[in-house]
């Protein structure tokens, strides 16, 4: 018989442990001075902590006690990782917990503020990602550029574009350079959430990461967990191909390549704001240079030490997401909720977690906010549930 705090949600304890990078149940048990088997029973749901133990958990995991009584903000869609390597399990678990928290914050804020409508066209029209050819992905990227009025030249900044088309974006330090970004559609599949890494970040890398995660949102919206695990390599390849095609259209970028040298690509980087390494891959994918030439360029690239940092990497400031930060400022400035209300009633994680995920300045919850113009919902209970996407034709096969 389950005893302890009524309504305790075991998954929330697992999530909080991951968010604080506590790898094992034993480590948590040591932290709060209980038997490891006790933590095991809490996490598998066979028992629940009593009031005192719940207070201990909340204090050590830096959340409110109510955190453990709310359901996990799980999505019915998979999270798109770059790798599922077992050696990164702690980092992957942390990344997943932060995505859940981003979705939870988004859901709470959306009670009060109208986010930009979702404008993610249904490019597959029921077809499977398995049917996609490279030429299909190229065409999809081109069609989307036209649909979003990006033009045929360089995409100046992916961040405002993602938010304009309805993505909710967060950015955090992952604690490892092996994890770049994460994408998942929210519960019900009505809005994509993207979490980007700030580790060792440069603007060209942020551009590629953002376009890559957008590729997942576009091409892999209906992929199942089983398909992701089975076809991860191909799914990642497709997302990268989309990102490359979106940032470097074959119809324009390729015609500006006068010579396939590092010096030439560095010059193109200044205009297209895409890394030299990504350009080498793009030229190879488009069969503009043969495989052996690409290999030679990669070797020379490595010999110059550009794997650590490329020239021009620091030429552009890295933009941060703004939608959630502006929305929270609007809620406070309009008097709908005070900052203390938000922390004591709406949110269950600590202020620093919210500031970090939403790109609010550190300490925002402890000082006055500035007035930001967004649109408040006419009714707090009014929830937008429709999908504002349109349909673009899936490229037909020839021959």
């Amino acid at each position: 018989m389950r005893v302890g705090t009524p309504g305790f949600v075991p998954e929330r304890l697992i999530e909080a442990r991951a968010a604080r990078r506590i790898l094992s149940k034993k480590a948590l048990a040591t932290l709060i001075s209980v038997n490891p088997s006790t933590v095991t029973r809490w996490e598998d749901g066979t028992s629940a902590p009593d009031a005192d133990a719940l207070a201990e958990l909340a204090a050590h995991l830096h959340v409110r006690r109510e955190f453990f009584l709310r359901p996990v903000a799980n999505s019915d869609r998979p999270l798109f990782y770059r790798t599922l390597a077992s050696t990164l399990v702690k980092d992957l678990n942390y990344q997943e917990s932060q995505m859940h928290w981003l979705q939870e914050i988004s859901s709470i804020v959306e009670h009060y503020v109208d986010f930009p409508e979702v404008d993610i066209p249904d490019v597959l029209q029921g077809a499977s990602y398995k049917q996609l050819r490279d030429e299909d992905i190229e065409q999809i990227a081109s069609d989307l550029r036209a649909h979003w009025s990006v033009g045929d030249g360089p995409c100046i900044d992916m961040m405002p574009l993602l938010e304009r088309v309805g993505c909710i974006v967060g950015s955090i330090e992952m604690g490892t350079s092996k994890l770049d970004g994460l994408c998942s559609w929210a519960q019900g599949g009505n809005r994509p959430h993207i979490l980007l890494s700030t580790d060792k970040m440069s603007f060209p890398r942020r551009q590629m990461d953002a376009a890559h995660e957008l590729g997942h949102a576009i091409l892999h919206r209906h992929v199942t967990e089983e398909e992701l695990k089975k076809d991860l390599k191909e799914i990642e390849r497709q997302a990268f191909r989309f990102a490359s095609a979106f940032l470097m259209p074959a119809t324009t970028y390729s015609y500006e390549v006068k010579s396939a040298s590092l010096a030439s690509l560095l010059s193109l980087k200044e205009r297209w704001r895409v890394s030299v390494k990504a350009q080498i891959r793009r030229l190879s994918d488009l069969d503009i240079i043969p495989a052996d030439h690409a290999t030679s360029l990669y070797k020379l690239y490595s010999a110059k030490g550009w794997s650590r940092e490329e020239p021009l990497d620091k030429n552009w400031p890295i933009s941060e997401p703004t939608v959630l930060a502006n929305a929270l400022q609007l809620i406070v400035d309009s008097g709908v909720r005070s900052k203390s209300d938000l922390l004591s009633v709406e949110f269950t994680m600590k202020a620093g977690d919210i500031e970090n995920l939403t790109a609010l300045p550190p300490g925002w919850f402890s000082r006055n906010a500035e007035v930001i113009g967004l649109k408040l919902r006419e009714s707090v209970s009014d929830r937008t549930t429709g999908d504002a996407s349109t349909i673009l034709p899936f490229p037909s096969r020839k021959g």
Side-chain angles (χ1 to χ4, degrees), residues 36-37 88 130 136 191-192 209 236 294:
S37 63
L88 295 175
K130 298 176 183 179
D136 297 329
R191 188 177 295 274
D209 287 349
E236 280 298 302

Side-chain angles (χ1 to χ4, degrees), residues 112 132 184 334:
Y112 300 100
L132 286 171
S184 177
S334 64

